[in-house]
Amino acid sequence: MNGRPQEIIVLVVEDEPMLRLLAVDMVEDAGFTAVEAANSTEAVRILETRRDIQIVFTDVNMPQGIDGLDLATCIRDRWPWIEIIITSGKPFPLNTPMPARSVFYTKPYRQAQIIDQIKRMAA
């Protein structure tokens, strides 16, 4: 063991390019590695080829493919070890089950909240 901390890799899934850029910058500025996907279809392709993703940070509303809640359910079924952070500009839909070990934040979220959540999930 080399004594360096383990690299934490976060997959950022956001269809809005500027919001994706801001989220990637937030993750990287906090010392984590970000991988980005513009939609859920791209996110699943990345997850199928990379076994090093520990956390997925996804928006709910995406125009292509499945939405972020369905993506979270897919992740929980196929990659149960991955932690999930879900965000949306709308309140969480009532009567919608959250996948196990996932958390929800309403936009605009505080960056410190998301970074603290990533740190908790990475521990």
Side-chain angles (χ1 to χ4, degrees):
M1 179 169 251
N2 61 14
R4 291 191 324 218
Q6 176 189 3
E7 179 182 26
I8 303 301
I9 301 175
V10 179
L11 175 58
V12 176
V13 188
E14 170 62 64
D15 63 303
E16 191 64 43
M18 185 54 74
L19 293 177
R20 187 171 61 250
L21 176 64
L22 291 171
V24 166
D25 286 349
M26 173 186 69
V27 167
E28 291 179 344
D29 289 348
F32 305 110
T33 300
V35 176
E36 56 186 287
N39 57 55
S40 56
T41 303
E42 188 177 344
V44 169
R45 266 187 296 218
I46 291 167
L47 291 166
E48 287 174 341
T49 61
R50 294 190 63 153
R51 304 294 283 175
D52 58 350
I53 308 266
Q54 292 111 319
I55 299 168
V56 172
F57 177 50
T58 184
D59 185 28
V60 170
N61 298 315
M62 288 182 276
Q64 294 179 344
I66 58 176
D67 71 19
L69 290 174
D70 289 338
L71 174 62
T73 299
C74 173
I75 291 167
R76 186 54 61 238
D77 291 344
R78 293 182 65 185
W79 301 281
W81 60 89
I82 294 176
E83 302 293 340
I84 305 165
I85 301 171
I86 304 167
T87 66
S88 178
K90 299 175 183 172
F92 192 79
L94 297 176
N95 302 322
T96 300
M98 284 273 290
R101 293 187 356 267
S102 62
V103 295
F104 178 83
Y105 291 94
T106 303
K107 293 178 184 177
Y109 50 77
R110 288 189 6 258
Q111 289 189 6
Q113 284 180 308
I114 302 301
I115 297 305
D116 287 346
Q117 185 64 55
I118 291 171
K119 289 177 181 176
R120 283 192 297 276
M121 289 176 158

